[in-house]
Amino acid sequence: SRIAPTVAQPAEYVDFGVPWQVMTRTAGRALGREGRAQRLVAALEARFARIREEHPHWAGRSLVVATHRGTGYSAFASEDPRSRFFRDLGFRIPDEVDRLAGDSFFAELSRERAGLLDRDVLVWDQIAFTPGGRATIEGDPLVRGLGVTREGRSVFLEGGLEDAFGWNTVLSIPAVLDGVVPLLERAAPAP
């Protein structure tokens, strides 16, 4: 802050948990483009609303966004942007994940707790950082034994989709929606 104005993360959010809407408005304010930032936020929020209207059966279904760490798993809490993205589509992040995460943005799960990943939908993220990638996840006997896996209700975020999802910005989220919605339609179809 000695050489240039600095914008810090707002204190009311967990580390790495600032919503994309807040980040966009903050950047707009810092750049003197508040109107443009607000228009981008409004347009993307409207797109989320349209998708929720088109998929009312997603409302309240449980979903976990997870990573495979080799020795265990991580599940992202509801206030992490990755989970918040799916909440904005109508899904529910299990309270147990939030309880285990505490003040953090994720919960570490030992292999013995793999059953906590068995929800209506399981989204695998950060596959590029998993040694062996998707093959490691699909080859894990505990993951293979989960009902969500056996019933084809898992979603894998890979390649450019994983990259765009990781940024989780007003500019990357439209591409994520383009890629994720068809995957969710297969994993969580209408009854």
Side-chain angles (χ1 to χ4, degrees), residues 57-69:
H57 55 283
W58 290 348
R61 289 176 102 171
S62 65
L63 180 146
V64 171
V65 182
T67 62
H68 194 290
R69 298 182 295 111

Side-chain angles (χ1 to χ4, degrees), residues 94-112:
D95 293 337
E96 193 166 8
V97 171
D98 285 339
R99 194 169 49 257
L100 291 170
D103 293 334
S104 180
F105 63 96
F106 70 99
E108 291 187 34
L109 306 176
S110 65
R111 293 186 56 73
E112 293 81 9

Side-chain angles (χ1 to χ4, degrees), residues 6 11 25 32 45 51 62 77 83 113 119 123 126 128 130 135-136 141 166 177 183 187:
T6 305
R25 289 182 185 114
E45 285 179 334
I51 293 169
S62 65
S83 291
R113 311 247 7 225
R119 304 299 171 157
V123 177
Q126 299 182 335
T130 302
T136 296
L177 289 170
L183 297 174

